[in-house]
Amino acid sequence: MSTHDTQGKPIVVGFDGSDTAERAVLWAAHHAAATWLPLVVTHCWMGMSHPTVLSPMIDDADSARRVAAERIAARGLDLAKQAEPKVNTSVKIVAGRPSEVLTKASTDASLLVTGSRGLGGFKGLLIGSVSLHLASSASCPVAVVRTERPAKRGILVAIDGSTQSDKALLFAADMARAQHTSLRLLHIRPYSRYAITRPPVPESKDDPIIQRALKLLPDDVDVTIVEDELAGPTVPRNVVLHAREAACVVLGAKGRNTLPVRLGSTVHAVLHYAQGTTVIVR
């Protein structure tokens, strides 16, 4: 990554042994290789011991959990090393709740990677509570991996001219450059579904949001840029639909939303329904 605030910081990926966590580790390893950044595979485990009340039974239970945690962490480390042997990969085992441990780890990370849902919760959920918590609370960008997509499909960034959209744009440009793929700028102009006629969509050269985004991109971005502006009754639905054609979709955490919320409605929808990897930038 070339962004000054993340340069040199490791990529942190949470691993709990689930299928989605395995995909997250592989995605993180490939991205670490592309960006020349170190990778830290992090596994969280919950001990039973209380520091002031210990018994042999609880000690034994904690010991068994620790052994199990080490085994799971080792598997995550092996997956990453097999996928990208040249990446500087390490493993970290931390006692605590995954949401709290990984949120804390995000303060010293360039990117936090997680599967869409882990071992806990209900199988019908498309995104787990931990992933949703990290997307709304992490200090660095968060990649939520559902399925591994080939990088050649390009990076899609949804833009709206907001400050967080600008940050998402620059992060997406870095991703596209690192992965040697294209960057698609998507601006969706919402209109009422009850409108009698659909408003015309301007050419990209006339769309102020597209033009503003192009001026923000660094001169050395050196990737193929696709400009796309659409009109639709709902922005979230359109982003989800177009995300199907991308290796990854990147969004600002809340866009132009002025409410005191951490995540906007578009981000919520994309996190729940997009089929591929979603990166949230704050």
Side-chain angles (χ1 to χ4, degrees):
M1 289 291 167
S2 65
T3 46
H4 68 278
D5 55 339
T6 61
Q7 190 171 13
K9 293 183 177 181
I11 295 171
V12 175
V13 56
F15 182 73
D16 64 1
S18 64
D19 291 343
T20 55
E22 290 185 357
R23 289 192 286 271
V25 165
L26 294 175
W27 189 94
H30 295 320
H31 189 63
T35 54
W36 296 91
L37 288 173
L39 176 65
V40 181
V41 178
T42 303
H43 176 65
C44 307
W45 70 292
M46 295 295 293
M48 294 179 62
S49 297
H50 189 280
T52 60
V53 183
L54 294 177
S55 71
M57 182 179 297
I58 293 179
D59 272 344
D60 289 344
D62 266 1
S63 179
R65 282 174 171 78
R66 175 73 191 195
V67 170
E70 291 174 347
R71 184 170 60 249
I72 293 172
R75 183 154 63 88
L77 181 63
D78 287 344
L79 278 172
K81 286 188 172 183
Q82 289 174 15
E84 295 290 350
K86 294 183 179 180
V87 170
N88 178 10
T89 306
S90 60
V91 68
K92 191 171 184 179
I93 304 174
V94 186
R97 298 181 183 278
S99 57
E100 297 172 359
V101 169
L102 293 174
T103 297
K104 184 177 180 180
S106 71
T107 60
D108 295 313
S110 65
L111 177 66
L112 182 63
V113 184
T114 177
S116 56
R117 60 180 303 276
L119 293 172
F122 301 98
K123 290 185 177 180
L125 293 176
L126 294 176
I127 185 170
S129 59
V130 172
S131 301
L132 195 58
H133 174 89
L134 295 175
S136 63
S137 302
S139 300
C140 69
V142 177
V144 180
V145 179
R146 181 165 284 117
T147 58
E148 197 177 3
R149 293 290 191 91
K152 65 182 181 180
R153 295 174 68 97
I155 306 296
L156 171 70
V157 57
I159 57 175
D160 61 9
S162 65
T163 300
Q164 293 194 357
S165 169
D166 293 345
K167 292 180 180 179
L169 169 69
L170 296 178
F171 193 88
D174 277 347
M175 288 189 70
R177 177 168 48 190
Q179 297 181 9
H180 304 288
T181 189
S182 61
L183 175 65
R184 181 184 177 196
L185 313 182
L186 178 64
H187 176 218
I188 299 171
R189 299 166 57 248
Y191 66 85
S192 171
R193 65 176 70 249
Y194 303 108
I196 297 176
T197 60
R198 180 180 300 186
V201 178
E203 296 289 335
S204 62
K205 61 182 177 61
D206 298 322
D207 187 309
I209 301 298
I210 293 285
Q211 292 306 307
R212 181 175 182 276
L214 291 172
K215 291 179 181 178
L216 285 173
L217 290 173
D219 295 334
D220 62 347
V221 65
D222 194 28
V223 298
T224 299
I225 298 174
V226 179
E227 305 164 24
D228 207 347
E229 51 286 329
L230 304 168
T234 61
V235 173
R237 181 174 181 274
N238 276 279
V239 175
V240 170
L241 287 174
H242 288 275
R244 294 176 180 176
E245 303 303 320
C248 175
V249 58
V250 184
L251 306 100
K254 58 182 288 185
R256 291 184 174 275
N257 191 333
T258 58
L259 296 175
V261 295
R262 297 284 289 172
L263 294 176
S265 58
T266 297
V267 172
H268 268 286
V270 174
L271 283 172
H272 280 84
Y273 299 111
Q275 296 178 355
T277 296
T278 302
V279 178
I280 309 303
V281 181
R282 177 168 287 98

